[in-house]
Amino acid sequence: MFKRTLLACALLTVAQPSSAEGDLDAIRQEIAQMKAQYEARIAALEARLKEAEGRPVGSTANTAASHDHDHGRGFNPDVSLILQGQYAQRKDIPERTITGFLPAGHVHGSERGFSVDHTELVLSADIDPTFRGYANFALIDQSVSVEEAWFQTLGLGEGFSLKAGRFYSGLGYLNERHPHAWDFADAPLMYQALFGERFAHDGMQLKWLAPTETFLEFGVEAGNGNAFPGANGNSSGIGAFSTFAKIGGDLGASHSWRAGLAYLSANPKARTAHWEDANGDAVGTTFTGDSKAWIADFVWKWAPQGNPKTRNLTLQAEYFRREESGRLACDGAGTLCAGDPSDRHRSKQSGWYAQTVYQFMPRWRAGLRYERLDSGTLDFGGLPLDAPDYNPDKTSLMLDWSPSEFSRIRLQFARDRSMQGIDENQVTLQYIMSLGAHGAHKF
């Protein structure tokens, strides 16, 4: 390497005549400094080699073992910061909901105008040869929330792994992905309706990866059930349970696919929300009962000869179904719910989305997503609540440019008809910047 460097410098010197003798002197001095530095480094390495050759084998092993033992003690996590902001053109609607579905909480990207939508601070590292740790903090204005904080076993054996803490469930395809890894600026409507965006457990997850050529993975999860659609308060015990199975593989050198089925069961206790009575007045609701959801997902990817750098295509779709049954109460002074009546409640609802994203040249992608929800059957018993017969839908187009794997600029246009009586055109200009080391995203 040193000889090549010297030769390159000499050729440059010959090929490009110097404008003054002073330039030649400067180059000679730089070469002399480089030569001295390399000679010093080579001498140091030779001394270390001589010392190691004279050391007993057992001593070397002990030194390596001591290093491994100390490995997890230092402050050595990978740290990354995700900057995500946007300009959003929306109608001035005081409260956005999805008609026919109980509101499930905050949704990223719902602000109008300029906003720092979502900033993430991520820390991760192998704690020791047995465990790995991960934490993701969401920074939004003056608040900080723990999106994920978990540890996971490494090499539990026989294809098993155990995770504990707060983590996004493995159900569905998109649920585990953070907003900066989405292909569109917002989550599909059905994720917003069922989980408030994504579903997280405070609990444990056990996964098993089958030792087969075909990708085959099974998982079970149990948590406290505090996240929507659950509401377990301060109760002990398991408030939510989920399980999933995933299968996938390759078709030739250019195609790969993955399919999955998932089930979620939660037992909300006094879950609060708001709704409209038969006169259109806002009222509060409280639900206690069972909530069950099923998800089927499929993803197919194409990249010529397995190389996605120039062109690639992804087709992705998920289908959702939710059933709830239990007891519902409503309240609201001066409304039809005055007196806090309660009665049985049953609902069956479903929805789906399908999308495709095509990278037509390096760094440029275009995507189309269509989604449609079915408010299904809403049985409020004898409660004076409105049961709209409406099927929300939304169409989104996006174009993004990624100068590198650490930055992305996205322009998105959407026609949103998720609220009955409102037909809205939305424009979003979004940036996503990644600073520091960040792990690769899943298939």
Side-chain angles (χ1 to χ4, degrees):
M1 178 62 75
F2 176 65
K3 292 180 178 179
R4 292 179 182 176
T5 305
L6 289 177
L7 180 59
C9 293
L11 289 173
L12 287 173
T13 303
V14 173
Q16 300 178 6
S18 303
S19 58
E21 185 62 25
D23 294 337
L24 292 175
D25 291 339
I27 294 173
R28 293 190 185 99
Q29 292 177 4
E30 186 174 350
I31 292 174
Q33 291 175 358
M34 293 173 61
K35 184 177 179 181
Q37 292 172 356
Y38 273 94
E39 288 177 344
R41 292 181 59 185
I42 290 171
L45 289 173
E46 287 177 343
R48 290 177 57 187
L49 177 62
K50 187 176 181 179
E51 179 184 356
E53 288 175 343
R55 187 182 306 156
V57 175
S59 175
T60 304
N62 290 338
T63 301
S66 176
H67 175 76
D68 290 342
H69 181 71
D70 291 340
H71 176 68
R73 295 183 177 179
F75 182 74
N76 61 346
D78 292 335
V79 180
S80 66
L81 184 69
I82 306 296
L83 305 177
Q84 183 172 322
Q86 67 180 27
Y87 171 80
Q89 181 176 308
R90 306 276 194 276
K91 287 185 177 180
D92 186 10
I93 300 173
E95 182 177 5
R96 292 180 176 274
T97 59
I98 301 175
T99 299
F101 292 80
L102 290 170
H106 172 74
V107 174
H108 292 121
S110 57
E111 297 83 3
R112 302 173 69 221
F114 289 103
S115 67
V116 180
D117 178 35
H118 194 77
T119 302
E120 296 178 33
L121 177 62
V122 183
L123 295 87
S124 63
D126 290 349
I127 299 167
D128 54 29
T130 307
F131 298 108
R132 174 173 177 75
Y134 176 92
N136 186 304
F137 303 95
L139 315 175
I140 303 176
D141 291 331
Q142 299 178 359
S143 66
V144 179
S145 61
V146 180
E147 292 207 331
E148 291 191 272
W150 48 258
F151 74 89
Q152 186 177 32
T153 58
L154 298 172
L156 194 60
E158 306 296 333
F160 286 96
S161 67
L162 182 68
K163 182 190 291 185
R166 176 174 297 177
F167 56 90
Y168 285 119
S169 170
L171 55 82
Y173 179 75
L174 206 59
N175 192 71
E176 287 185 293
R177 285 159 177 76
H178 288 263
H180 68 270
W182 297 345
D183 291 321
F184 291 81
D186 49 5
L189 290 176
M190 205 59 194
Y191 270 100
Q192 300 177 27
L194 260 60
F195 311 125
E197 205 164 72
R198 289 164 295 162
F199 180 74
H201 278 293
D202 280 9
M204 301 181 69
Q205 177 195 71
L206 179 65
K207 290 199 298 187
W208 179 63
L209 182 63
T212 59
E213 293 186 2
T214 300
F215 171 73
L216 191 59
E217 184 181 65
F218 300 90
V220 293
E221 303 165 338
N224 61 9
N226 279 336
F228 190 92
N232 201 27
N234 194 30
S235 301
S236 59
I238 297 175
F241 168 82
S242 54
T243 183
F244 56 83
K246 302 172 182 177
I247 184 173
D250 297 328
L251 294 174
S254 303
H255 305 270
S256 56
W257 62 278
R258 204 206 80 175
L261 291 172
Y263 169 74
L264 168 66
S265 175
N267 306 110
K269 298 176 181 176
R271 188 185 72 197
T272 59
H274 50 270
W275 200 254
E276 290 185 352
D277 65 13
N279 290 335
D281 295 323
V283 298
T285 62
T286 304
F287 172 72
T288 298
D290 298 324
S291 179
K292 301 176 182 178
W294 295 263
I295 303 175
D297 66 84
F298 180 78
V299 179
W300 174 79
K301 296 186 177 183
W302 169 81
Q305 298 303 312
N307 181 9
K309 290 187 176 181
T310 303
R311 291 183 300 143
N312 64 76
L313 176 70
T314 300
L315 298 176
Q316 174 183 328
E318 293 188 74
Y319 174 81
F320 308 78
R321 181 178 178 83
R322 179 174 69 185
E323 295 183 6
E324 292 193 327
S325 61
R327 194 152 191 91
L328 186 71
C330 68
D331 61 86
T335 69
L336 296 177
C337 287
D340 304 345
S342 66
D343 203 344
R344 61 178 177 79
H345 166 59
R346 298 179 65 89
S347 67
K348 294 182 180 179
Q349 301 177 302
S350 61
W352 58 273
Y353 78 88
Q355 69 178 53
T356 180
V357 176
Y358 178 49
Q359 178 173 303
F360 51 92
M361 61 184 295
R363 303 177 182 178
W364 287 91
R365 306 189 312 162
L368 169 65
R369 181 174 73 192
Y370 178 74
E371 45 197 319
R372 186 176 179 84
L373 281 58
D374 182 358
S375 58
T377 58
L378 288 168
D379 181 2
F380 294 120
L383 295 176
L385 298 177
D386 182 37
D389 182 14
Y390 182 68
N391 296 325
D393 74 286
K394 186 176 182 179
T395 304
S396 304
L397 288 167
M398 79 85 185
L399 176 69
D400 66 29
W401 173 60
S402 302
S404 71
E405 60 182 310
F406 302 105
S407 62
R408 173 166 291 166
I409 305 295
R410 174 181 292 138
L411 177 64
Q412 178 171 312
F413 171 80
R415 186 174 187 182
D416 187 352
R417 294 185 292 195
S418 59
M419 300 181 68
Q420 190 171 20
I422 298 177
D423 194 341
E424 182 183 31
N425 293 327
Q426 303 174 342
V427 178
T428 305
L429 181 60
Q430 182 186 48
Y431 66 81
I432 302 171
M433 305 290 165
S434 177
L435 290 73
H438 191 81
H441 297 130
K442 295 185 176 182
F443 174 84

